[in-house]
Amino acid sequence: LCDAFGWSLGLVSRILVRTINEGSTLVMKAINLNSAKHVKSALAAAPRKRRATWMLKVTVGTQSISPLLWSIQSGSIEAAKAIIEDLLTFRADRDRYYYGVDDLFLRHPDFIQVITSEAPVLLRVLLDRLIWRSRVVVAGVRRVNIYLEHLVIDKDA
């Protein structure tokens, strides 16, 4: 009985160590520190094409977790704010523009409900980042795009 208990405890500890090692990305470490500065430095190495994935999906074994959702649920509000701001920033390269709004709502279709119930302070950050403002003013008017698609249409539309 003692050997069986020791073996099972050893197995559980090896599984936990493997899970921690595989899930320990730079972004997850920054979330645990609740530091916007560390989140920004962790994402500095991310290529534009994979940047949203770094913030929205970490796979450990057969399980997949979202660093953004993890930061909100664990109370790391500063890290979550930095992730939302980075995810909803326009970036470009020669081939295309990158804006993470579609990736965000594809991964978390219920994100508005989550953010309003668990971190309402982030709602203003999210809504501010769903607006693009042109830097050019013509005749006193500035062009603005508001990305409301995911707020008014559900996935079954």
Side-chain angles (χ1 to χ4, degrees):
L1 183 65
C2 187
D3 289 337
F5 184 72
W7 178 85
S8 60
L9 193 57
L11 178 65
V12 169
S13 67
R14 285 191 299 276
I15 290 171
L16 285 174
V17 167
R18 179 176 167 228
T19 302
I20 289 169
N21 287 336
E22 288 183 17
S24 288
T25 64
L26 292 174
V27 175
M28 292 301 285
K29 289 177 183 177
I31 289 169
N32 289 332
L33 294 172
N34 193 21
S35 167
K37 178 183 169 188
H38 285 92
V39 168
K40 290 175 186 173
S41 65
L43 292 171
R48 286 184 186 103
K49 195 173 198 174
R50 305 270 308 143
R51 200 172 186 102
T53 305
W54 282 31
M55 293 180 268
L56 295 173
K57 187 174 184 181
V58 172
T59 304
V60 180
T62 59
Q63 297 297 312
S64 173
I65 63 167
S66 168
L68 175 58
L69 209 55
W70 178 272
S71 63
I72 291 170
Q73 291 171 340
S74 67
S76 300
I77 301 301
E78 290 302 314
K81 180 181 176 198
I83 290 172
I84 291 170
E85 288 174 348
D86 192 276
L87 189 62
L88 299 179
T89 297
F90 282 92
R91 291 187 172 76
D93 60 19
R94 286 190 213 168
D95 299 327
R96 62 177 286 215
Y97 287 96
Y98 298 93
Y99 182 56
V101 70
D102 290 330
D103 297 318
L104 172 63
F105 286 102
L106 180 66
R107 176 80 167 123
H108 304 296
D110 62 340
F111 191 67
I112 296 296
Q113 289 86 2
V114 170
I115 205 169
T116 53
S117 66
E118 297 194 31
V121 69
L122 295 175
L123 193 57
R124 183 177 179 104
V125 175
L126 175 71
L127 294 176
D128 282 346
R129 289 298 176 143
L130 293 177
I131 300 172
W132 173 83
R133 298 163 188 88
S134 174
R135 61 180 172 77
V136 179
V137 178
V138 178
V141 179
R142 181 184 310 255
R143 196 172 125 208
V144 175
N145 292 340
I146 304 173
Y147 294 87
L148 297 176
E149 173 189 0
H150 300 287
L151 303 180
V152 295
I153 300 173
D154 65 0
K155 63 182 179 185
D156 299 326

